Amino acid sequence: METISSRQVYANSWMTVREDAIRRADGSDGIYGVVDKPTAAVIIPRDGERLHLVEQFRYPVGQRRWEFPMGTAPDRAEVAPDVLAARELEEETGLVAGRMELLGDLDIAPGMSSQREHVFLATELTAGPARREHTEQDMRARWFTTAEFEEMVRGSELVDAQSLAAYLLLLLHDRS
């Protein structure tokens, strides 16, 4: 596939949207709308059989959602994934990890977005004050047992795709 042209159609502090004119291998033309976002980190804070989640209002779906702490650096900056993970964990939960282990990577929505997430397991946790951004002022945080977490998934109370995929990486990690 060949990119013929590319133009930015929208930008804000968190993302850009571009439209690319492409030519396929068979010579036919097409377009792609692409959401470009910086690298993100998803953090699974775990203390024994407990997982720490955050809940916030997610405007695009018009509802509050429980999920693992996650995020990107401000102003679309690219930051080393481990540094980003530590910053997001402390910012959203107040927790500081004595140990942070990379579990794997996720492509969020590769049919429409370039964003990649790195999933980390955070353990040896120390509690402190959260340092949330203004946009996170409605965020709540809470510990759940793994049984409670899985029941939330079964009951469609926890439907965040990144958190579900991250949990699968955790389960695979625990099996090895």
Side-chain angles (χ1 to χ4, degrees), residues 16-29:
T16 62
V17 179
R18 69 175 201 269
E19 183 176 275
D20 292 355
I22 57 103
R23 183 155 299 125
R24 296 178 187 91
D26 69 359
S28 63
D29 292 333

Side-chain angles (χ1 to χ4, degrees), residues 41-45 52-54 68-72 81-100 120-133 136 139-141 143:
V42 178
I43 308 94
I44 303 175
H52 200 84
L53 301 175
V54 296
F68 287 122
M70 64 183 78
T72 61
D82 59 331
V83 172
L84 179 60
R87 186 183 71 80
E88 284 297 317
L89 177 64
E90 185 173 7
E91 176 186 292
E92 293 186 3
T93 68
L95 297 171
V96 175
R99 182 180 164 141
M100 191 82 76
F120 289 87
L121 173 60
T123 56
E124 301 172 15
L125 300 164
T126 304
R131 296 188 174 102
R132 296 185 182 126
E133 297 172 357
E136 298 168 329
M139 186 177 279
R140 300 177 197 147
W143 287 100

Side-chain angles (χ1 to χ4, degrees), residues 74-150:
D75 300 318
R76 299 189 314 259
E78 286 294 341
V79 176
D82 59 331
V83 172
L84 179 60
R87 186 183 71 80
E88 284 297 317
L89 177 64
E90 185 173 7
E91 176 186 292
E92 293 186 3
T93 68
L95 297 171
V96 175
R99 182 180 164 141
M100 191 82 76
E101 181 179 357
L102 179 65
L103 298 180
D105 301 319
L106 303 172
D107 286 335
I108 301 309
M112 65 175 222
S113 178
S114 64
Q115 188 175 42
R116 169 150 289 185
E117 286 185 334
H118 304 282
V119 179
F120 289 87
L121 173 60
T123 56
E124 301 172 15
L125 300 164
T126 304
R131 296 188 174 102
R132 296 185 182 126
E133 297 172 357
H134 182 71
T135 58
E136 298 168 329
Q137 62 185 296
D138 72 330
M139 186 177 279
R140 300 177 197 147
R142 189 176 145 212
W143 287 100
F144 292 88
T145 65
T146 54
E148 290 170 325
F149 178 92
E150 290 178 4

Side-chain angles (χ1 to χ4, degrees), residues 2 4 6 14 18 24 29 41 47 53 57 65 67 83 95 100 119 124-125 129 131 140 147 151 153 156 167 175:
E2 175 187 4
I4 304 303
S6 183
W14 302 279
R18 69 175 201 269
R24 296 178 187 91
D29 292 333
D47 179 25
L53 301 175
F57 183 78
R65 291 287 190 246
E67 57 198 37
V83 172
L95 297 171
M100 191 82 76
V119 179
E124 301 172 15
L125 300 164
R131 296 188 174 102
R140 300 177 197 147
E151 189 56 37
V153 172
S156 294
Y167 191 65
R175 287 184 190 167

Side-chain angles (χ1 to χ4, degrees), residues 33-55:
V34 179
V35 177
D36 286 316
K37 294 186 78 171
T39 300
V42 178
I43 308 94
I44 303 175
R46 180 166 70 176
D47 179 25
E49 288 296 312
R50 298 185 315 152
L51 304 169
H52 200 84
L53 301 175
V54 296
E55 183 201 48

Side-chain angles (χ1 to χ4, degrees), residues 139-173:
M139 186 177 279
R140 300 177 197 147
R142 189 176 145 212
W143 287 100
F144 292 88
T145 65
T146 54
E148 290 170 325
F149 178 92
E150 290 178 4
E151 189 56 37
M152 290 169 67
V153 172
R154 282 186 200 95
S156 294
E157 293 174 67
L158 195 154
V159 295
D160 175 65
Q162 292 105 286
S163 295
L164 295 172
Y167 191 65
L168 174 60
L169 290 172
L170 176 64
L171 293 176
L172 294 172
H173 167 270

